[in-house]
Amino acid sequence: MASRSFRSLLKADRRRDEPLARSFAIALGLHVALLIFFILSWSWSVEKPGPVMVELWMEGETQQIPRSPDAQESPEPEPEVEPEPEPQPEPEVEPEIEPEPEPEPEPEPEPEPEPEPEPEPEPEQYLDPEPQPEPETPSTPAITPEQQAAIDAEIALEEKRKEEALEKERLAQLEQQRLEKERQDQLEAERLEQERLAKLEEERLEKERLEQERIEQERQAQLEKERLAKLEEERLEKERQEKERQAKLEAERLEKEKQEQERLAKLEQERLEKEKQEKERQAKLEAERLEKEKQEKERLAKLQRERLEKEKQEKERKAKLEQERLEKERQAKLEEEKKRKQLAEQKAREEAAKKAAADKALRDAFRSDVMGATGVAGGKAAQNREGGGADAVYAGMVRACIRPNVSFPTPLRQGKANPAALYRVQLKSDGSVMSLNLRRSSGNPGFDRAVEIGVRRCSPFPKPPTGKYPSYIDVNYHMYD
């Protein structure tokens, strides 16, 4: 009982603590989700700014031709972007160029937006009304070979600078791609690291949560154990007090029972004394009553004996008469049985003789009927000869086919009556029965049905000697031969 109460209390406390544990788990899960969300959002927001490309274009060279060799001073304001310590000291960058970006050098035609400088209508700025007449002057033939060589050298230098600028741009683009790839790889590594750290943090938090839950459960179990121990102690104390109270009540009850038993014993003694006196009085009355009953029984027994003696004598007389009557009846039955057996034997002999004669007559009549049944209705010999001319051989064949199939318990013949059933049998070309029509009943439905079954079981009928079946046959079947 104590263990059951302990288990019930433990279950109740567990049910009470389950909502608290669930809410603690939900809160912990939400905090972990928020932490992961902040880490991922921070990793996505931290992006390094990409490199900035600046394209520098020279103004048209043809407009500088008319200038004197002083025009060589024009490149001075543009010391080229060479001051930048080009990444040439790192030629090793070229082997790092992955084969994937190299198929894309053609995007480098981006510098070929040279058509973009064409919109430089700036040369037209030099088309002031003042310089326009200059081309008309014969200044062109004034160019000396030294000037032409200087111009060619400047043009070649400019082309070389352009090529170098394009190469620098290509290398800068490749470097930028490499740096971008490194940055992406670094970001991916940082993201994976952050995910790993987040996972580790989540696992750590989960372990801490599980450890806290375990500690909390142990604490709760200890508290529950202490509480149950206290409850058990209180229960034992209450049981002890209850036992003492019950013992006191039991003592009082026993005392009362003892007093009550003494009182009842006294009353019982008085009652027994009164019963004794009453019994003595009743015994005296009973003795007188028994004496009277004894005398009455003796008188009745005497009368009963006399009556039984008379009945016995009457039964013996009746039994003797009944025995004489039964003996007479037995003798009469024996005589009657003897006569009946004699009559039955005589009748059986007569019936056997009659049946033999009837079978012979039936065979003769059936043979004549079947012989005169083919061809047309009526069964006349003259008509048979006209319709198909059946002979005794075919009649015997038909009789041999039908007779074994007729199953009927032939009753004893009464007088000269010989019932017959006449059926007209319509035949198909193959001799099978097409239809069967009762033309005349024998008056006995069972016999008619037996003949019908015998005729149907004969299908197909035997083939006539002529080889051709008649269209119908009238079968007249007698009950007795």
Side-chain angles (χ1 to χ4, degrees):
M1 179 177 173
S3 61
R4 285 199 298 271
S5 62
F6 176 81
R7 285 197 294 270
S8 62
L9 290 171
L10 185 59
K11 289 180 180 178
D13 290 338
R14 284 180 180 174
R15 287 195 296 271
R16 188 173 62 253
D17 294 337
E18 280 177 0
L20 180 61
R22 282 198 296 270
S23 60
F24 177 78
I26 292 169
L28 182 61
L30 290 174
H31 281 79
V32 172
L34 287 172
L35 178 61
I36 294 170
F37 174 77
F38 287 144
I39 291 171
L40 294 176
S41 61
W42 177 78
S43 64
W44 290 336
S45 62
V46 177
E47 294 182 359
K48 295 180 180 180
V52 178
M53 294 180 63
V54 178
E55 295 181 359
L56 300 177
W57 300 91
M58 296 293 293
E59 296 180 355
E61 297 86 5
T62 56
Q63 297 298 329
Q64 298 174 357
I65 292 173
R67 296 181 183 180
S68 60
D70 299 332
Q72 295 175 357
E73 300 174 356
S74 59
E76 294 177 2
E78 293 179 2
E80 303 298 331
V81 185
E82 293 176 5
E84 296 180 7
E86 303 170 355
Q88 290 178 354
E90 296 177 3
E92 299 175 2
V93 174
E94 292 181 355
E96 292 179 2
I97 298 172
E98 296 179 359
E100 295 123 350
E102 283 201 9
E104 299 177 346
E106 284 153 338
E108 290 178 3
E110 292 178 4
E112 289 180 1
E114 293 176 10
E116 291 180 355
E118 287 178 7
E120 292 176 353
E122 295 175 0
E124 294 178 359
Q125 295 175 358
Y126 297 96
L127 298 176
D128 294 337
E130 297 176 0
Q132 285 178 357
E134 290 179 3
E136 295 177 1
T137 59
S139 60
T140 304
I143 299 172
T144 62
E146 291 80 3
Q147 293 176 345
Q148 185 63 37
I151 291 170
D152 292 340
E154 186 178 354
I155 291 171
L157 181 61
E158 185 64 26
E159 289 177 355
K160 183 178 180 182
R161 288 176 179 173
K162 285 183 179 180
E163 290 177 359
E164 290 176 354
L166 291 174
E167 182 65 18
K168 288 178 183 179
E169 289 175 0
R170 187 180 69 81
L171 293 174
Q173 187 176 6
L174 293 175
E175 180 66 15
Q176 182 180 0
Q177 290 177 357
R178 185 183 67 79
L179 294 173
E180 180 64 20
K181 187 173 182 302
E182 289 180 357
R183 188 179 67 82
Q184 293 295 336
D185 293 342
Q186 184 178 1
L187 290 175
E188 180 65 16
E190 290 176 356
R191 184 181 65 78
L192 293 175
E193 181 65 17
Q194 289 173 357
E195 289 179 357
R196 186 181 68 80
L197 293 174
K199 187 175 181 181
L200 291 174
E201 181 64 18
E202 183 178 354
E203 291 176 355
R204 185 184 65 77
L205 292 174
E206 181 66 15
K207 287 180 180 178
E208 289 180 357
R209 183 183 66 79
L210 294 174
E211 184 64 19
Q212 290 177 358
E213 287 182 356
R214 185 185 65 78
I215 293 170
E216 180 64 20
Q217 288 176 358
E218 290 178 354
R219 189 181 65 82
Q220 292 293 337
Q222 183 63 25
L223 292 174
E224 181 65 18
K225 187 176 179 181
E226 293 175 357
R227 187 178 65 82
L228 293 174
K230 186 177 179 181
L231 291 174
E232 183 67 14
E233 185 179 353
E234 292 176 355
R235 185 185 65 79
L236 293 173
E237 181 63 22
K238 287 180 180 178
E239 286 182 357
R240 186 183 62 77
Q241 294 175 359
E242 182 65 20
K243 284 180 180 179
E244 290 178 355
R245 188 178 66 82
Q246 292 293 337
K248 186 177 179 181
L249 293 174
E250 183 67 16
E252 293 176 354
R253 185 184 64 79
L254 292 173
E255 183 64 25
K256 288 180 180 179
E257 285 182 357
K258 182 180 178 182
Q259 295 175 1
E260 184 67 18
Q261 285 175 359
E262 291 176 355
R263 186 181 65 82
L264 292 174
K266 187 178 180 181
L267 293 173
E268 182 68 16
Q269 188 176 359
E270 293 175 355
R271 185 183 65 77
L272 291 173
E273 185 65 26
K274 288 179 181 179
E275 286 181 356
K276 183 180 178 182
Q277 295 174 1
E278 183 66 20
K279 282 180 180 179
E280 290 175 355
R281 188 178 66 81
Q282 292 292 336
K284 187 178 179 180
L285 294 174
E286 183 68 16
E288 294 174 355
R289 184 182 65 78
L290 290 174
E291 183 63 26
K292 289 179 181 179
E293 286 181 356
K294 182 179 179 183
Q295 293 173 2
E296 183 67 19
K297 282 181 180 179
E298 289 175 355
R299 186 181 66 80
L300 293 174
K302 186 178 179 181
L303 293 174
Q304 182 72 10
R305 284 193 299 274
E306 293 174 356
R307 185 179 63 79
L308 291 174
E309 183 66 25
K310 289 179 181 179
E311 287 179 356
K312 181 179 179 182
Q313 294 173 1
E314 182 67 20
K315 282 182 180 179
E316 289 175 354
R317 186 181 65 79
K318 286 181 179 181
K320 186 176 180 181
L321 294 173
E322 182 67 18
Q323 187 174 2
E324 292 174 356
R325 185 183 65 77
L326 292 174
E327 182 65 22
K328 289 180 182 178
E329 287 179 357
R330 189 177 66 80
Q331 293 295 334
K333 282 183 180 179
L334 291 174
E335 187 68 23
E336 185 180 356
E337 183 69 19
K338 185 177 179 181
K339 290 180 181 179
R340 188 177 62 77
K341 285 182 179 180
Q342 291 175 356
L343 290 173
E345 290 174 357
Q346 184 179 357
K347 189 175 181 180
R349 287 193 296 272
E350 292 176 356
E351 286 178 354
K354 289 179 181 179
K355 187 174 182 181
D359 288 343
K360 185 174 181 302
L362 179 61
R363 283 195 298 273
D364 296 340
F366 185 70
R367 180 172 60 80
S368 63
D369 287 341
V370 173
M371 289 177 63
T374 58
V376 296
K380 303 296 183 181
Q383 293 171 343
N384 290 334
R385 283 192 295 273
E386 294 175 2
D391 55 8
V393 175
Y394 184 62
M397 293 167 64
V398 173
R399 181 176 67 250
C401 179
I402 295 175
R403 185 173 180 78
N405 296 316
V406 177
S407 177
F408 181 74
T410 307
L412 294 176
R413 189 169 184 177
Q414 301 293 331
K416 296 182 179 181
N418 190 9
L422 176 61
Y423 279 96
R424 172 161 289 184
V425 185
Q426 298 287 343
L427 299 177
K428 296 181 181 178
S429 60
D430 60 351
S432 59
V433 176
M434 181 170 61
S435 65
L436 193 64
N437 185 22
L438 179 63
R439 306 296 297 272
R440 186 178 66 248
S441 174
S442 65
N444 188 331
F447 179 70
D448 295 345
R449 178 62 180 164
V451 174
E452 180 184 354
I453 292 171
V455 173
R456 289 189 183 278
R457 288 180 177 175
C458 184
S459 179
F461 272 60
K463 195 169 186 179
T466 60
K468 182 179 179 182
Y469 285 98
S471 60
Y472 67 89
I473 293 177
D474 287 334
V475 178
N476 189 21
Y477 196 94
H478 291 271
M479 185 179 294
Y480 304 106
D481 289 338

